[in-house]
Amino acid sequence: MELRVTDVSRLAWTGDCLAIGLFENGIDLAGDLADLDQQLAGTLKELIADTEFKGKSGDTAITRVGSGSPIRKIALIGLGKADGLKLDGVRRAASASARLARKEKCKTLGISLPPWQNDPVLTTQAIAEGVELALHQDTRFKSEPDEKANLPEQVELLGYGGQEAALHQASQICAGVILARELVSAPPNVVNPLTMAETAQAIAADHGLSLEILEQEDCEKLGMGAFLGVAKASDLPPKFLHLTYKPEGTPRRKLAIVGKGLTFDSGGLNLKVGNSSIEMMKTDMGGAAATLGAAKVIGLLKPDVEVHFISAVTENMVSGRAMRPGDILTASNGKTIEVNNTDAEGRLTLADALVFTEKLGVEAIVDLATLTGACVVALGGDIAGLWSPDDTIAAQLMAAAERSGEKIWRMPLEEKYFEGMKSVVADMKNTGSREGGAITAALFLKQFVKETPWAHLDIAGPVWADKENGYNSVGATGYGVRLLVNWALA
Ligand code: BES
Ligand code: MN
Ligand code: ZN
């Protein structure tokens, strides 16, 4: 598929499908739309009347245009109220256009959407992201794709001539999102600590980042007992990954991104109970996938900020070597942890990852983790939980989320709840009671960050989509990549 920007107007465009965004109060067709309706012998008005199209966001309508017309089909995409349009609304409208064009087997698609807040750069980027992410299909593990792809071959953004740079940036961002999606959706017999390390190597080689891989012995030397406790039962070696992007010249900021990297989480010996579906635990490296996806994008965009990308990658397995419920682990900052639940393993791996990261002397740390089912219960499948003691970094992330369309909601770091994590024998347990389980997980992580501004994102919900949702198809979403890139570039 080729994406292009053009100044050809919607009156002059020719091709298979012309998709036009309409606001709720814009369906009475003024200006050039009245001219277009005339040119199409009244088809636009008829389509609006026949389908009772109201222009609400999510509304779509499409119809064949009489032969002899310069376009084959005309599609209407609802944008909602003009004053309520968000940048992600533009992205979703673009994805709706692309999905319609694919369904209707249109090879060429012209998209006509209004600029968001008169910003053609951000609008171009959002449209391009919406199209590319909606049309991405992962068929790597099928011997034959379910359906013929029917992908549009050429998509043109009408009215955005000259925005080639924004278009290019969007495709670089999408490359990172798609990498993250493919890492998350790949099965755990394919994506494991070794292949995650290979992916980091490829990113380093392709985009000029430096890579440090700490092997098990290196982690032992650093005293990473919490991470290694989790890794013990796996037949595969753990890999602690540290990618560094350094700009030419003095960096404007120094940042770090840490991702939970459990390529499979069986739960360990306190086996997964209840309705926690173990077969979905290939997604438990979603934080690491977003981290690697962001590393790829930063490597492509080459901004003037230094960014470190860290993930302690392993599997949580069962075997005679497995850590036992009741074991006490010592993390690399010397703190001791009584493991009362081996299924609360993510926070153990993150503990050592955060201690390592803080020693890098960065200005801010953000971690992303598919950390708790409790966060999914609290916020559902679309929204990540945000915890931070630092209002500045929290505000930065909320602004980045607004731009990227990846939803986050700030949650409390209620210190009192940490009382439930007190251990009789060690400095802390790794699990509190079920109530407030996402909060106590965040409080646990906080024990491993001393003074660097830090934020934690629990992405257990949005890492995977059970239903098609805008530009996310069913499956891995690549959640976090665009959010992280927006944050790093701000
Ligand atoms: N990887 C899971 C969390 C998870 C749940 C991710 C659902 C994606 C979807 C995590 O390691 C886990 O098992 N958490 C436990 C913690 C509990 C034992 C304190 C949970 O949420 O049940
Ligand atoms: Mn677990
Ligand atoms: Zn886990």
Side-chain angles (χ1 to χ4, degrees):
M1 181 197 51
E2 191 201 355
L3 268 164
R4 287 213 315 220
V5 284
T6 172
D7 272 333
V8 172
S9 75
R10 46 196 180 186
L11 278 170
W13 189 78
T14 63
D16 288 336
C17 178
L18 175 62
I20 294 179
L22 283 186
F23 289 115
E24 259 177 76
N25 50 1
I27 55 172
D28 39 355
L29 303 185
D32 71 326
L33 286 181
D35 299 341
L36 182 65
D37 190 40
Q38 205 167 36
Q39 191 176 302
L40 301 177
T43 309
L44 261 182
K45 272 210 191 80
E46 279 170 21
L47 177 61
I48 290 170
D50 290 352
T51 61
E52 296 179 24
F53 182 85
K54 295 280 183 295
K56 291 213 165 70
S57 106
D59 284 0
T60 58
I62 186 163
T63 189
R64 181 79 167 87
V65 179
S67 48
S69 157
I71 57 176
R72 207 157 62 80
K73 290 186 175 177
I74 178 95
L76 301 176
I77 313 292
L79 297 173
K81 296 215 164 65
D83 55 3
L85 183 69
K86 293 191 166 191
L87 188 56
D88 202 50
V90 175
R91 203 179 275 114
R92 285 171 173 268
S95 82
S97 313
R99 288 189 193 277
L100 259 183
R102 179 174 59 195
K103 188 159 156 259
E104 300 276 330
K105 304 185 171 50
C106 297
K107 290 292 166 203
T108 56
L109 166 66
I111 299 182
S112 173
L113 292 171
W116 174 79
Q117 295 198 351
N118 290 318
D119 189 330
V121 177
L122 287 181
T123 307
T124 300
Q125 204 177 309
I127 296 173
E129 287 174 5
V131 170
E132 226 180 295
L133 296 177
L135 296 182
H136 165 241
Q137 280 175 316
D138 187 355
T139 54
R140 288 170 300 159
F141 303 103
K142 297 198 187 244
S143 59
E144 274 173 59
D146 291 343
E147 45 181 312
K148 283 232 176 67
N150 285 323
L151 289 184
E153 282 160 12
Q154 195 176 82
V155 180
E156 291 188 292
L157 279 53
L158 311 189
Y160 294 93
Q163 294 301 330
E164 281 79 7
L167 200 63
H168 186 57
Q169 173 147 337
S171 85
Q172 292 174 316
I173 290 171
C174 289
V177 178
I178 288 169
L179 171 66
R181 283 182 178 181
E182 294 190 342
L183 286 169
V184 170
S185 66
N189 58 339
V190 170
V191 164
N192 59 37
L194 302 171
T195 50
M196 288 292 279
E198 283 164 16
T199 305
Q201 260 151 359
I203 292 168
D206 293 350
H207 310 299
L209 282 75
S210 63
L211 173 64
E212 177 188 27
I213 300 183
L214 304 183
E215 303 294 343
Q216 179 168 332
E217 311 80 69
D218 306 311
C219 297
E220 277 163 10
K221 279 187 198 125
L222 289 169
M224 294 185 175
F227 171 44
L228 292 175
V230 176
K232 260 176 88 185
S234 174
D235 284 337
L236 301 171
K239 300 276 176 185
F240 190 104
L241 310 177
H242 173 204
L243 279 160
T244 307
Y245 166 77
K246 280 195 178 151
E248 276 175 33
T250 318
R252 189 163 51 81
R253 300 204 286 166
K254 291 188 186 185
L255 307 171
I257 296 165
V258 181
K260 171 174 171 181
L262 267 294
T263 61
F264 182 67
D265 174 16
S266 75
L269 283 170
N270 299 28
L271 293 167
K272 288 213 165 281
V273 284
N275 56 5
S276 57
S277 54
I278 192 171
E279 71 278 9
M280 283 308 294
M281 285 305 132
K282 66 173 184 179
T283 66
D284 215 13
M285 32 59 75
T291 302
L292 292 178
K296 184 180 179 77
V297 180
I298 296 293
L300 284 164
L301 297 179
K302 306 208 187 306
D304 56 354
V305 287
E306 178 174 319
V307 194
H308 297 262
F309 306 89
I310 291 103
S311 186
V313 185
T314 186
E315 301 178 301
N316 186 21
M317 300 297 275
V318 281
S319 87
R321 276 178 290 120
M323 66 174 171
R324 290 155 289 247
D327 278 2
I328 294 178
L329 306 174
T330 305
S332 44
N333 64 348
K335 294 208 176 164
T336 58
I337 306 156
E338 180 187 7
V339 180
N340 57 334
N341 196 326
T342 60
D343 200 10
E345 83 300 333
R347 60 196 77 180
L348 296 171
T349 65
L350 287 165
D352 282 326
L354 288 169
V355 171
F356 175 93
T357 303
E358 190 160 31
K359 289 186 200 146
L360 300 172
V362 293
E363 289 152 47
I365 305 172
V366 172
D367 81 68
L368 289 90
T370 48
L371 203 62
T372 66
C375 196
V376 190
V377 172
L379 297 176
D382 290 355
I383 308 171
L386 159 68
W387 283 263
S388 180
D390 186 287
D391 291 343
T392 307
I393 190 169
Q396 289 169 355
L397 288 168
M398 291 199 277
E402 188 60 39
R403 276 205 172 183
S404 77
E406 293 161 297
K407 293 181 179 159
I408 60 179
W409 191 259
R410 193 166 180 190
M411 304 280 273
L413 273 170
E414 187 67 29
E415 293 289 344
K416 187 167 186 298
Y417 291 1
F418 196 66
E419 283 169 16
M421 312 276 281
K422 287 216 170 108
S423 162
V424 177
V425 284
D427 294 342
M428 66 193 96
K429 298 190 290 194
N430 72 332
T431 311
S433 69
R434 258 167 58 82
E435 294 88 46
I439 299 176
T440 48
L443 287 168
F444 181 91
L445 298 182
K446 188 166 174 276
Q447 311 308 307
F448 299 91
V449 185
K450 276 201 293 222
E451 51 191 21
T452 310
W454 156 78
H456 158 60
L457 291 167
D458 193 331
I459 63 167
V463 71
W464 187 267
D466 294 323
K467 284 196 243 121
E468 179 182 302
N469 181 3
Y471 39 87
N472 287 329
S473 303
V474 175
T477 57
Y479 183 95
V481 174
R482 291 176 299 119
L483 173 70
L484 291 169
V485 170
N486 273 297
W487 175 64
L489 262 52

